[in-house]
Amino acid sequence: MEQCLNIETLKIAKEELREDEETRNNALNQMRLWLKQNKKIIHSRSDDNFLLRFLRAKKFSLPLAQEALERYLLLRQTFGRQLFNELDITCPRLEKLLELGYIFVVPKRDKNGRRIIITRPGVFNPSIWTNAEMCRMHGVTYETLMEDQENQVRGFVHYTDAAGMCLQQLTLFTPREAVRIVKNGERTLPMRHKEIYGVNVPLSLKFALDFGMTLISEKIRSRVKVIN
């Protein structure tokens, strides 16, 4: 393995993901064999770190991990030019969004060792920024975090502070695009979403929140808490 996990993290991997050394090695071998035989995939990373994202997100179910990897590669192929080819935080416009605090990761982990991601959509001005830049900011954040194997095992906690949000921000995406984003967030990105909080949600945007809740699975819905 490219990274060494501590004893506590290995214990979580065993209890929650059914992962041990034998299971991990066998699954990695099976994933690499499947990649070689899959004619739909021309090129893909095949290092341990990358493949383990999908195996851990799907609790080492090979069919589900393979499906998730195919979805992920298709997403990158379909939207590569717009969203995935410029994941560089030193890009001046993305750097400015970072300075505004649109999305950032808390320096310390929570009591369960999980990374906390905070998003503040209220500071995102649609008159200045584009939806592609919004997606790239999320892409930079998530791709960086997913490289860390401890994050792959322990998962993530999300906080969205909706203070300052208005109807104009909802026009950044069409309803169809919004549906695709929400579903890809759950089904395609290999991230373990453990807790999701929404705070300071304006009553005027409650309809958008209610709509979004209908798009996610019951499992994820049960992990969402809205605090006003």
Side-chain angles (χ1 to χ4, degrees), residues 11 20 24 50 56 91 102 105 112 114 123 151 186:
K11 182 179 178 182
D20 55 29
R24 183 171 54 247
F50 180 73
R56 286 169 170 153
C91 167
Y102 165 65
V105 181
N112 296 308
R114 301 173 299 198
V123 306
N151 296 338
E186 178 179 355

Side-chain angles (χ1 to χ4, degrees), residues 24-35:
R24 183 171 54 247
N25 291 337
N26 288 339
L28 286 169
N29 290 335
Q30 290 296 317
M31 288 289 282
R32 292 193 180 97
L33 179 61
W34 170 78
L35 279 172

Side-chain angles (χ1 to χ4, degrees), residues 28-220:
L28 286 169
N29 290 335
Q30 290 296 317
M31 288 289 282
R32 292 193 180 97
L33 179 61
W34 170 78
L35 279 172
K36 288 180 180 179
Q37 296 175 341
N38 192 328
K39 296 181 180 180
K40 292 187 292 183
I41 299 176
I42 298 174
H43 177 71
S44 169
R45 282 177 58 181
S46 59
D47 56 278
D48 288 4
N49 196 318
F50 180 73
L51 296 180
L52 283 169
R53 297 182 188 182
F54 302 92
L55 289 165
R56 286 169 170 153
K58 300 303 179 182
K59 298 186 178 181
F60 282 81
S61 166
L62 280 169
L64 293 179
Q66 290 163 357
E67 179 187 13
L69 177 51
E70 278 192 337
R71 287 181 178 276
Y72 174 86
L73 294 176
L74 179 61
L75 179 70
R76 292 198 62 131
Q77 181 182 40
T78 304
F79 297 101
R81 173 171 290 184
Q82 303 100 311
L83 307 180
F84 292 103
N85 290 351
E86 298 179 21
L87 297 185
D88 183 357
I89 200 59
T90 63
C91 167
R93 286 182 63 82
L94 296 191
E95 202 167 27
K96 182 62 177 177
L97 273 174
L98 182 65
E99 291 172 0
L100 284 173
Y102 165 65
I103 184 171
F104 59 93
V105 181
V106 175
K108 293 185 178 181
R109 298 176 183 272
D110 73 359
K111 63 181 181 180
N112 296 308
R114 301 173 299 198
R115 283 295 184 194
I116 302 172
I117 304 169
I118 296 180
T119 309
R120 300 168 62 232
V123 306
F124 193 97
N125 187 338
S127 300
I128 299 175
W129 312 100
T130 67
N131 58 6
E133 288 168 330
M134 175 183 279
C135 291
R136 282 203 292 272
M137 280 298 297
H138 285 268
V140 168
T141 304
Y142 300 154
E143 290 290 334
T144 301
L145 290 170
M146 287 188 291
E147 285 293 325
D148 188 323
Q149 291 197 30
E150 187 167 358
N151 296 338
Q152 294 174 8
V153 172
R154 292 179 180 268
F156 301 92
V157 176
H158 302 266
Y159 281 87
T160 297
D161 182 354
M165 275 196 73
C166 59
L167 292 174
Q168 186 185 10
Q169 276 136 347
L170 297 183
T171 65
L172 278 164
F173 300 95
T174 66
R176 184 176 181 181
E177 288 171 334
V179 169
R180 183 177 294 176
I181 288 170
V182 172
K183 290 189 174 180
N184 280 329
E186 178 179 355
R187 300 174 60 191
T188 306
L189 293 181
M191 300 174 68
R192 303 189 68 213
H193 307 295
K194 303 298 287 184
E195 297 177 21
I196 303 168
Y197 297 91
V199 299
N200 299 318
V201 180
L203 290 176
S204 60
L205 299 182
K206 187 177 183 301
F207 74 94
L209 177 63
D210 291 342
F211 174 67
M213 293 289 281
T214 67
L215 303 176
I216 57 180
S217 68
E218 178 60 35
K219 180 182 76 172
I220 297 296

